[in-house]
PDB file of all heavy atoms in Angstrom:
ATOM      1  N   LEU M 221    -115.721  56.872-143.342  1.00  0.00           N
ATOM      2  CA  LEU M 221    -116.393  55.655-142.910  1.00  0.00           C
ATOM      3  C   LEU M 221    -115.640  55.070-141.719  1.00  0.00           C
ATOM      4  O   LEU M 221    -114.418  54.964-141.744  1.00  0.00           O
ATOM      5  CB  LEU M 221    -116.400  54.646-144.052  1.00  0.00           C
ATOM      6  CG  LEU M 221    -117.060  53.304-143.768  1.00  0.00           C
ATOM      7  CD1 LEU M 221    -118.567  53.473-143.644  1.00  0.00           C
ATOM      8  CD2 LEU M 221    -116.729  52.305-144.853  1.00  0.00           C
ATOM      9  N   SER M 222    -116.357  54.726-140.686  1.00  0.00           N
ATOM     10  CA  SER M 222    -115.752  54.065-139.534  1.00  0.00           C
ATOM     11  C   SER M 222    -116.340  52.671-139.397  1.00  0.00           C
ATOM     12  O   SER M 222    -117.469  52.407-139.813  1.00  0.00           O
ATOM     13  CB  SER M 222    -115.984  54.869-138.257  1.00  0.00           C
ATOM     14  OG  SER M 222    -117.366  55.069-138.029  1.00  0.00           O
ATOM     15  N   GLY M 223    -115.542  51.757-138.832  1.00  0.00           N
ATOM     16  CA  GLY M 223    -116.026  50.404-138.677  1.00  0.00           C
ATOM     17  C   GLY M 223    -115.002  49.517-138.001  1.00  0.00           C
ATOM     18  O   GLY M 223    -113.882  49.945-137.705  1.00  0.00           O
ATOM     19  N   GLU M 224    -115.399  48.284-137.755  1.00  0.00           N
ATOM     20  CA  GLU M 224    -114.534  47.314-137.081  1.00  0.00           C
ATOM     21  C   GLU M 224    -113.931  46.367-138.115  1.00  0.00           C
ATOM     22  O   GLU M 224    -114.647  45.664-138.825  1.00  0.00           O
ATOM     23  CB  GLU M 224    -115.325  46.528-136.037  1.00  0.00           C
ATOM     24  CG  GLU M 224    -115.784  47.396-134.879  1.00  0.00           C
ATOM     25  CD  GLU M 224    -116.472  46.607-133.793  1.00  0.00           C
ATOM     26  OE1 GLU M 224    -116.904  45.453-134.065  1.00  0.00           O
ATOM     27  OE2 GLU M 224    -116.586  47.123-132.671  1.00  0.00           O
ATOM     28  N   LEU M 225    -112.599  46.381-138.146  1.00  0.00           N
ATOM     29  CA  LEU M 225    -111.861  45.484-139.028  1.00  0.00           C
ATOM     30  C   LEU M 225    -111.287  44.357-138.178  1.00  0.00           C
ATOM     31  O   LEU M 225    -110.587  44.609-137.194  1.00  0.00           O
ATOM     32  CB  LEU M 225    -110.737  46.242-139.727  1.00  0.00           C
ATOM     33  CG  LEU M 225    -109.772  45.388-140.537  1.00  0.00           C
ATOM     34  CD1 LEU M 225    -110.477  44.696-141.695  1.00  0.00           C
ATOM     35  CD2 LEU M 225    -108.616  46.218-141.051  1.00  0.00           C
ATOM     36  N   THR M 226    -111.601  43.133-138.561  1.00  0.00           N
ATOM     37  CA  THR M 226    -111.067  41.964-137.857  1.00  0.00           C
ATOM     38  C   THR M 226    -110.097  41.244-138.765  1.00  0.00           C
ATOM     39  O   THR M 226    -110.450  40.826-139.864  1.00  0.00           O
ATOM     40  CB  THR M 226    -112.197  41.007-137.420  1.00  0.00           C
ATOM     41  OG1 THR M 226    -113.091  41.701-136.551  1.00  0.00           O
ATOM     42  CG2 THR M 226    -111.610  39.801-136.683  1.00  0.00           C
ATOM     43  N   LEU M 227    -108.862  41.111-138.294  1.00  0.00           N
ATOM     44  CA  LEU M 227    -107.792  40.479-139.054  1.00  0.00           C
ATOM     45  C   LEU M 227    -106.928  39.690-138.088  1.00  0.00           C
ATOM     46  O   LEU M 227    -106.566  40.197-137.015  1.00  0.00           O
ATOM     47  CB  LEU M 227    -106.953  41.551-139.768  1.00  0.00           C
ATOM     48  CG  LEU M 227    -105.737  41.089-140.560  1.00  0.00           C
ATOM     49  CD1 LEU M 227    -106.149  40.202-141.724  1.00  0.00           C
ATOM     50  CD2 LEU M 227    -104.941  42.286-141.067  1.00  0.00           C
ATOM     51  N   LYS M 228    -106.639  38.480-138.421  1.00  0.00           N
ATOM     52  CA  LYS M 228    -105.809  37.608-137.590  1.00  0.00           C
ATOM     53  C   LYS M 228    -106.341  37.530-136.160  1.00  0.00           C
ATOM     54  O   LYS M 228    -105.590  37.527-135.189  1.00  0.00           O
ATOM     55  CB  LYS M 228    -104.351  38.059-137.605  1.00  0.00           C
ATOM     56  CG  LYS M 228    -103.376  36.978-137.167  1.00  0.00           C
ATOM     57  CD  LYS M 228    -101.944  37.457-137.200  1.00  0.00           C
ATOM     58  CE  LYS M 228    -101.013  36.373-136.673  1.00  0.00           C
ATOM     59  NZ  LYS M 228     -99.599  36.833-136.649  1.00  0.00           N
ATOM     60  N   GLY M 229    -107.669  37.508-136.036  1.00  0.00           N
ATOM     61  CA  GLY M 229    -108.304  37.363-134.735  1.00  0.00           C
ATOM     62  C   GLY M 229    -108.348  38.622-133.903  1.00  0.00           C
ATOM     63  O   GLY M 229    -108.864  38.608-132.773  1.00  0.00           O
ATOM     64  N   GLU M 230    -107.833  39.734-134.418  1.00  0.00           N
ATOM     65  CA  GLU M 230    -107.833  41.009-133.695  1.00  0.00           C
ATOM     66  C   GLU M 230    -108.825  41.957-134.349  1.00  0.00           C
ATOM     67  O   GLU M 230    -108.841  42.095-135.578  1.00  0.00           O
ATOM     68  CB  GLU M 230    -106.435  41.643-133.714  1.00  0.00           C
ATOM     69  CG  GLU M 230    -105.346  40.803-133.079  1.00  0.00           C
ATOM     70  CD  GLU M 230    -105.445  40.779-131.563  1.00  0.00           C
ATOM     71  OE1 GLU M 230    -106.141  41.640-130.990  1.00  0.00           O
ATOM     72  OE2 GLU M 230    -104.825  39.889-130.943  1.00  0.00           O
ATOM     73  N   THR M 231    -109.643  42.605-133.540  1.00  0.00           N
ATOM     74  CA  THR M 231    -110.631  43.555-134.050  1.00  0.00           C
ATOM     75  C   THR M 231    -110.249  44.964-133.618  1.00  0.00           C
ATOM     76  O   THR M 231    -110.025  45.215-132.426  1.00  0.00           O
ATOM     77  CB  THR M 231    -112.040  43.216-133.539  1.00  0.00           C
ATOM     78  OG1 THR M 231    -112.394  41.896-133.973  1.00  0.00           O
ATOM     79  CG2 THR M 231    -113.066  44.208-134.075  1.00  0.00           C
ATOM     80  N   ARG M 232    -110.173  45.870-134.582  1.00  0.00           N
ATOM     81  CA  ARG M 232    -109.827  47.263-134.307  1.00  0.00           C
ATOM     82  C   ARG M 232    -110.786  48.176-135.052  1.00  0.00           C
ATOM     83  O   ARG M 232    -111.221  47.866-136.158  1.00  0.00           O
ATOM     84  CB  ARG M 232    -108.395  47.567-134.744  1.00  0.00           C
ATOM     85  CG  ARG M 232    -107.322  46.798-133.988  1.00  0.00           C
ATOM     86  CD  ARG M 232    -107.157  47.321-132.563  1.00  0.00           C
ATOM     87  NE  ARG M 232    -106.068  46.648-131.864  1.00  0.00           N
ATOM     88  CZ  ARG M 232    -106.189  45.532-131.165  1.00  0.00           C
ATOM     89  NH1 ARG M 232    -107.383  44.938-131.102  1.00  0.00           N
ATOM     90  NH2 ARG M 232    -105.157  44.989-130.553  1.00  0.00           N
TER      91      ARG M 232
END
Side-chain angles (χ1 to χ4, degrees):
L221 180 70
S222 57
E224 293 185 342
L225 172 63
T226 300
L227 177 64
K228 199 180 176 182
E230 300 287 343
T231 300
R232 296 287 184 271

